[in-house]
Amino acid sequence: MAIVVPILSKYDPRGVREAERELEQFGRSVGDFAKKAALGIGIAVGALGSFALSAVKAAEEAEQENRRIEQIARSMNLFGDETSTVVKRLDEYASKVSRATAIDDGQIKVVQAKLLTFEELAKSAKTVGGAFDRATKAALDLEKAGFGDAASNAVQLGKALQDPIKGLTALTRSGVTFTKEQKDLIEELVRTNRTLEAQDLILGAIEQQVGGTAEATATASGRMKVAFDELKESIGVALLPLFGRLATKIVDDL
């Protein structure tokens, strides 16, 4: 703002008063600008802090989900010395499926945790694209096709794949259909100790009915959200050590 000071050939108090008013107005403008700038900086800092806290929380939740899977695997003694490797693979698979289906990887890990409690199925968790991975996707596809929620589907699938003869009935009640020929063949495979073949037949029947539904119904905005959540989680992982030290200090001081 320009300050106009009237120049007079002789002393005129009105000119002085006008100059004073101009200076006061200019001062108020500068003050308002400074306040707004400070407010903007405060909002930016606050938003940054909120994002950091959100990122740390996302990383903690992911860590908690992985620990749950690892604990189930260790308590059931499923993979021995390979447990950490298998858990890492399942984490990566959950992220891959999440990006393709726009389903939160936390929900996918809940499905994985439930499926791991069925020992006959869990044995294939080490195998990329094996029965375990197929069952994980089948639980999600069934949900997106309207057959209950993924976690409940995982339990039904686990029962059917653990004990195909008994579990098939429960799976059928949930809406999945099998022909008489398929049921007879599954029973024959189980009786002749060919459980893996029976599992393959069950999963094949489900995939024929609803396979790919979760991926087909994913939206672009959903995939973008998953990508952003993954970025936030990775930032949170980097911040976790600092946040842990800060939390420890606060607790100790209190």
Side-chain angles (χ1 to χ4, degrees):
M1 177 185 295
I3 302 175
V4 179
V5 181
I7 300 175
L8 306 175
S9 59
K10 62 180 181 178
Y11 173 75
D12 186 344
R14 288 179 301 174
V16 174
R17 284 195 295 272
E18 287 178 14
E20 288 175 346
R21 283 196 296 272
E22 290 281 354
L23 287 169
E24 287 175 2
Q25 187 176 351
F26 178 72
R28 284 196 298 270
S29 298
V30 171
D32 289 343
F33 174 78
K35 288 177 183 178
K36 289 176 182 178
L39 178 61
I41 293 170
I43 291 173
V45 171
L48 183 61
S50 177
F51 175 80
L53 188 60
S54 176
V56 167
K57 185 178 179 182
E60 286 180 328
E61 288 174 353
E63 188 178 75
Q64 186 180 48
E65 290 153 1
N66 289 339
R67 284 178 179 173
R68 176 172 53 209
I69 289 175
E70 183 168 359
Q71 179 56 35
I72 292 172
R74 290 192 186 282
S75 64
M76 293 183 66
N77 194 26
L78 294 171
F79 312 113
D81 294 339
E82 296 180 278
T83 299
S84 295
T85 302
V86 175
V87 171
K88 185 174 184 297
R89 190 196 79 75
L90 293 179
D91 177 38
E92 292 171 349
Y93 182 70
S95 295
K96 178 182 176 182
V97 174
S98 178
R99 289 192 294 271
T101 62
I103 296 173
D104 180 68
D105 62 352
Q107 183 181 351
I108 297 171
K109 289 176 185 178
V110 168
V111 169
Q112 291 176 323
K114 289 183 178 294
L115 292 175
L116 273 179
T117 62
F118 298 94
E119 189 173 1
E120 285 301 316
L121 175 62
K123 292 175 182 177
S124 64
K126 296 190 293 184
T127 307
V128 176
F132 190 91
D133 286 357
R134 292 170 67 189
T136 301
K137 290 189 73 173
L140 303 173
D141 286 332
L142 284 167
E143 178 184 300
K144 293 302 181 180
F147 294 90
D149 64 87
S152 298
N153 293 335
V155 174
Q156 298 298 332
L157 280 167
K159 290 179 179 178
L161 298 171
Q162 175 77 11
D163 187 341
I165 295 177
K166 292 181 180 179
L168 205 60
T169 302
L171 196 57
T172 302
R173 286 199 201 101
S174 67
V176 182
T177 58
F178 295 89
T179 65
K180 185 180 184 304
E181 290 75 13
Q182 287 174 323
K183 292 178 181 177
D184 291 342
L185 180 54
I186 289 169
E187 289 182 9
E188 176 62 24
L189 290 170
V190 173
R191 275 196 295 268
T192 55
N193 296 318
R194 290 184 287 172
T195 303
L196 290 179
E197 292 180 53
Q199 289 178 346
D200 181 65
L201 184 56
I202 292 170
L203 289 168
I206 295 171
E207 289 164 350
Q208 187 175 23
Q209 293 174 57
V210 299
T213 304
E215 189 168 344
T217 55
T219 62
S221 60
R223 289 195 178 100
M224 285 178 64
K225 182 181 183 303
V226 165
F228 179 76
D229 287 345
E230 284 194 345
L231 174 62
K232 184 167 67 174
E233 185 181 307
S234 64
I235 293 172
V237 169
L239 292 173
L240 266 178
L242 176 62
F243 187 78
R245 290 194 297 271
L246 177 62
T248 300
K249 178 173 176 53
I250 291 173
V251 171
D252 288 347
D253 288 347
L254 289 176

